[in-house]
Structure formats: structure tokens, C-alpha cells
Amino acid sequence: MDSENKLFKFLNNYLMGPMGKISQFRIVRGVMAAGMASIPFTIVGSMFLIIAVLPQSFPVLQGIWEISFERVESLYMLGNMATMGILALYFCIVFGYEYTKIQAQEEKINLNPMNGALLSMMAYFMCLPELIFDGGVATLVNVVTDDKKIIDGWEMSGGVTRLGTTGIFTAIIMSIIAVKIYALCVKRKWVIKMPETVPTGVSNSFTALIPTVLIALTVIIINGILVALGTDIFKMIAIPFGFVTNLTNTWIGLLVIYFLMHALWIVGIHGATIVTSFLTPIVLSNMVQNQNGANLPFAGEFNNSFVTIGGSGATLGMVIFITFFAKSAQLGALGKAAVVPSLFNINEPILFGMPVVYNPYTAIPFFLAPMSSMSVAYFAIKFGMVNPPIAQVAWPTPLGLSGFIGSGGDWRAFVLAIVCAAVAFVIWFPFIKFYDRKLYQDEQAKVTVTNV
């Protein structure tokens, strides 16, 4: 037990402290808000995509689709283009708004969140066109080939390419720059102050005038320097974030991610929220690459479809077990209360009611179960046994159904999800059996003492 206490102390000092501080960073909170706001757009856009790709999983539907949905595909896929196709724009607007609001509240300065959102969008849009210096003259790129179409600097591929998921990181960086300049201007009073009799909307517009000029000039200078060096902000940002993305596409990288996620939970921090806030742009970008023929396991709703089935710790099988077979009254009652939420990947009743947090009896399976289910799903997708995620589904979607929908209707994904849940339960079984027996013995001992 002393060794377990040392483990919790170590996690508390070296993981909970640093990660708790990171979770409070303004940028992290802004990204979390943007990720949450993007959920309806990713789900709706994915639904239209599933309609288009369903015959690939069920060839029997091909004939029906040819005379129905395929005839209007360009029409209904506008729903996908206007959601997933411009997802970076949604990220930009929401992040700019939330980041401005946070700055205003915590620094006690008069910032208009809407101005912050619009200024962020302007800075981002200024980075979208591709330019080169040709003979000392800044020129918009024009390239039209079978593989690439760039017209007046705008790369097109079923829409403006850089407005899609590949632009999320750039959108965040440019929003940070824009909001910081806006805040600086207001702090230093570099704004045009209107009389109090002027309507608020008009006053806010003039307050943003000087920041707008400074932001535009700043972005022009940044773009000019990078273009002169033969690159641009998109290509520069792709270097460090590309490394992180590649790390998440390895088995070892995902093991580390799921270890960190659950180590935070063990010491009472919502690890899933913190870790996935950083990973949302990556899984969405990977999902779009899968739509274009890639085979990346860590995409879309990979986590809730195959890994943390039943909630963090992959607890669904364990919850079902204690619901029907627990000997201890504590776990039996807890299971009956938690089994329905667990079917929808909600297991806070288990995490805090069992509890899992700071509990040495459940710490090991809480780590190992999701790492094991992740490994099974990762290699099944990597080796082509199951189609990769190509569509976003709501995270509470029940076992099997989320994998089936997310893979575009691959029945093997349904089976894979069940296998992953079973593997996780095998890890949980000896530990929960031991813990249940201990609680039962403690309950019986209390009954005996009471009767005496």
C-alpha cells in the first residue's frame, strides 16, 4: 500500500500539477471551446459523407444509389463542404471569440469578443492565398494540373483546401496574434474613443479600427518575410505540428497518450478533456485524410468507438459485471445506477462513486484496459482488417454503432468494438473480482459486529 501511495504522490507532484496548470492556460481553454463548438458541424458533415460512401461497404446498394443519391451528390455534399470543408473557419471564429472573452475577463479590459472573432478571421484569411516572389515581385500562385489546382493563390479541392481541417492550427496561431494585438491596443489606449452618445455598435467598430490596421500590417510583414524565404505560415506550422501528428499515428505514441489521459484521471483531473483538446485538430485532419484514401487509425471518434468504451478506463464490461454479479452491496448498487449511462460512454458515477480516483485497487486496470483495447483497434485498422474512421459520430453513441457509422458502414468495425470491449473486460475482471470480494468481506464484518 505504501508503494501505491508513493505512486499517487508521484503522479500528483509531476503530472497533476503541471497538467492542471496547462489546462488553465487561456489558449487551452479557447481551443477546448472551439473543439466543443465544432462538434455539430463535424457530425452533420459526416452524415452527408456517409450517404455518399455507403455503397462502398454495401455493394448491393450500388444500383439504387446510381439512380437516386448519386444524381444529386453534388447538391447534398454541399452540407459536407459547408461544415467539414471549412472547419478551420469555425475554429478560428470561436477561438477568437472565446480567447478575447477570457482576456477581457481576466485582465479587466474592455474587449468586445465579436471584434476579437472578426479580427482573428481577417488575420487567418490573409494567410490563405499562396504567394511567391517572382523576379522580385510578389505574385499569387497559379498552378493547374491533374493533381493540384491553385487559382490566384487559392488551392481548390472540393472547396478552398486551406479552410478545411489542415488550416486549424494556422487559424489558432493567427487568432492568438490578432487577439493579443487587439488587447495591447486597448490596454495602451491606442483606440479611437467615441462620445458616450454614440450607439454601442458604432463605438465598438471604431474601437477596433486601429487594431485592425496593426493586425493587417503585422500579418503582411509575417507573410512577406516567409514568402521571401520560399515558404508561408501554413508550411511553417506544418513542421512542428506534423511531428506531433506523426507521433499520434504510431502505436507507441498512442500508448503514451492514453497513459497520460488516465494518469490524470487517477489523481482527479478530467484527463480526457485536457488531452483530447490538444488532439481534436489532429483526429479531424486524419479523418479527412482517410476520406481521401489514407489509413490512419487515430481519426474521428476512434477513442469512444474502440478505446474508452463505456467511458474513461474502458469500463463498460466491468460495469455490466458488477451490475449482475457483484457480491458486495456497494458495487451492486453502483452498477445498477451506472449501467445505463455507461452504455452511452458516461461513467462519472463509476469514477467518483466506486471510486476509481485515488483507488489503488482499480488503478492498474484503469491504465491497462484502454491501452489494450487501443492496441487491438490500432492494429486491426493498420493491417486493413477494418476500415479506418471516415465520419464523425456523437461520442455517446453506443457500443458497436459508433464504429459502424464512423467507418462508413463497415460491419467489421461493429465486431471490432465488441472485441475491444471484451479485451478491456478481461483486463478488469481479476481486479474487480478481488475488489468486490474485499468490499463484501468488509460488509460482512460490519454486519457481524453490529449483530454482536
Side-chain angles (χ1 to χ4, degrees):
M1 185 64 69
D2 186 55
S3 61
E4 292 286 356
N5 291 331
K6 288 180 179 178
L7 172 63
F8 290 132
K9 186 176 180 180
F10 175 83
L11 292 175
N12 189 66
N13 291 338
Y14 297 100
L15 190 63
M16 179 180 177
M19 293 303 289
K21 292 178 181 177
I22 290 174
S23 69
Q24 293 305 308
F25 285 176
R26 296 170 183 173
I27 293 173
V28 174
R29 284 147 59 196
V31 171
M32 289 168 62
M36 293 295 292
S38 71
I39 289 174
F41 300 104
T42 58
I43 293 176
V44 170
S46 295
M47 293 302 101
F48 288 109
L49 177 67
I50 290 172
I51 295 174
V53 303
L54 205 56
Q56 296 178 21
S57 298
F58 299 96
V60 68
L61 298 175
Q62 187 62 51
I64 300 174
W65 253 241
E66 287 177 355
I67 61 174
S68 57
F69 289 107
E70 287 187 10
R71 292 178 177 270
V72 291
E73 182 174 325
S74 295
L75 178 61
Y76 70 74
M77 280 299 286
L78 291 174
N80 180 272
M81 188 186 305
T83 50
M84 290 297 299
I86 58 171
L87 196 61
L89 179 58
Y90 295 119
F91 255 81
C92 180
I93 294 172
V94 176
F95 178 82
Y97 184 94
E98 291 292 333
Y99 192 48
T100 304
K101 186 168 71 172
I102 292 169
Q103 297 261 77
Q105 291 172 346
E106 297 185 359
E107 296 190 21
K108 308 299 182 186
I109 52 180
N110 186 24
L111 300 177
N112 185 333
M114 184 58 69
N115 280 348
L118 295 175
L119 291 170
S120 298
M121 186 171 65
M122 179 195 74
Y124 174 52
F125 265 84
M126 290 180 67
C127 297
L128 294 179
E130 296 184 45
L131 296 98
I132 58 171
F133 272 107
D134 186 6
V137 178
T139 306
L140 292 167
V141 174
N142 279 283
V143 176
V144 179
T145 65
D146 292 339
D147 300 324
K148 181 173 287 190
K149 184 188 295 182
I150 305 176
I151 302 172
D152 289 337
W154 299 81
E155 183 176 356
M156 311 297 292
S157 179
V160 180
T161 304
R162 288 185 166 186
L163 282 176
T165 54
T166 56
I168 290 176
F169 289 121
T170 301
I172 293 171
I173 297 298
M174 299 316 297
S175 297
I176 293 171
I177 293 173
V179 173
K180 285 294 186 184
I181 293 175
Y182 177 33
L184 177 65
C185 289
V186 174
K187 279 184 187 177
R188 299 293 179 86
K189 301 188 185 304
W190 298 341
V191 295
I192 298 175
K193 192 73 174 175
M194 302 297 289
E196 294 184 3
T197 55
V198 174
T200 303
V202 176
S203 179
N204 287 337
S205 298
F206 277 90
T207 300
L209 189 58
I210 292 176
T212 301
V213 174
L214 291 179
I215 292 167
L217 290 174
T218 301
V219 178
I220 288 171
I221 292 170
I222 293 172
N223 284 344
I225 293 172
L226 293 177
V227 171
L229 295 173
T231 185
D232 62 27
I233 189 70
F234 271 82
K235 295 169 186 174
M236 288 292 294
I237 289 176
I239 296 172
F241 287 109
F243 171 78
V244 176
T245 300
N246 291 335
L247 185 64
T248 64
N249 291 331
T250 66
W251 176 60
I252 297 297
L254 290 179
L255 284 177
V256 172
I257 286 170
Y258 281 101
F259 173 81
L260 289 174
M261 187 184 298
H262 290 82
L264 289 169
W265 260 125
I266 285 291
V267 290
I269 294 180
H270 200 308
T273 298
I274 294 175
V275 175
T276 55
S277 67
F278 293 102
L279 300 176
T280 296
I282 294 174
V283 295
L284 292 176
S285 179
N286 286 351
M287 184 176 72
V288 173
Q289 291 187 57
N290 286 342
Q291 294 170 8
N292 296 322
N295 186 45
L296 304 173
F298 193 61
E301 206 45 71
F302 174 82
N303 178 53
N304 287 301
S305 296
F306 303 114
V307 185
T308 57
I309 298 172
S312 294
T315 57
L316 179 60
M318 181 269 286
V319 172
I320 293 174
F321 173 78
I322 64 174
T323 301
F324 297 103
F325 303 105
K327 291 183 177 180
S328 67
Q330 177 182 330
L331 291 188
L334 182 63
K336 291 178 176 62
V339 67
V340 173
S342 291
L343 293 173
F344 300 94
N345 298 324
I346 300 169
N347 70 341
E348 275 75 5
I350 289 294
L351 297 179
F352 298 105
M354 183 172 282
V356 169
V357 175
Y358 285 108
N359 188 340
Y361 295 100
T362 59
I364 292 176
F366 190 71
F367 282 110
L368 290 184
M371 294 168 78
S372 300
S373 58
M374 179 279 295
S375 299
V376 172
Y378 176 86
F379 289 112
I381 295 172
K382 199 71 175 177
F383 293 144
M385 299 168 65
V386 176
N387 290 342
I390 62 168
Q392 186 76 354
V393 294
W395 63 267
T397 306
L399 169 68
L401 191 58
S402 58
F404 176 76
I405 296 173
S407 63
D410 186 358
W411 63 269
R412 297 171 299 178
F414 190 101
V415 176
L416 175 61
I418 295 174
V419 171
C420 288
V423 168
F425 174 65
V426 169
I427 300 294
W428 269 103
F429 181 73
F431 295 93
I432 198 62
K433 189 77 173 173
F434 175 83
Y435 187 47
D436 179 48
R437 183 165 61 247
K438 177 188 177 300
L439 292 177
Y440 178 73
Q441 290 171 352
D442 291 344
E443 290 169 357
Q444 294 303 306
K446 289 180 181 178
V447 170
T448 302
V449 171
T450 302
N451 291 336
V452 171

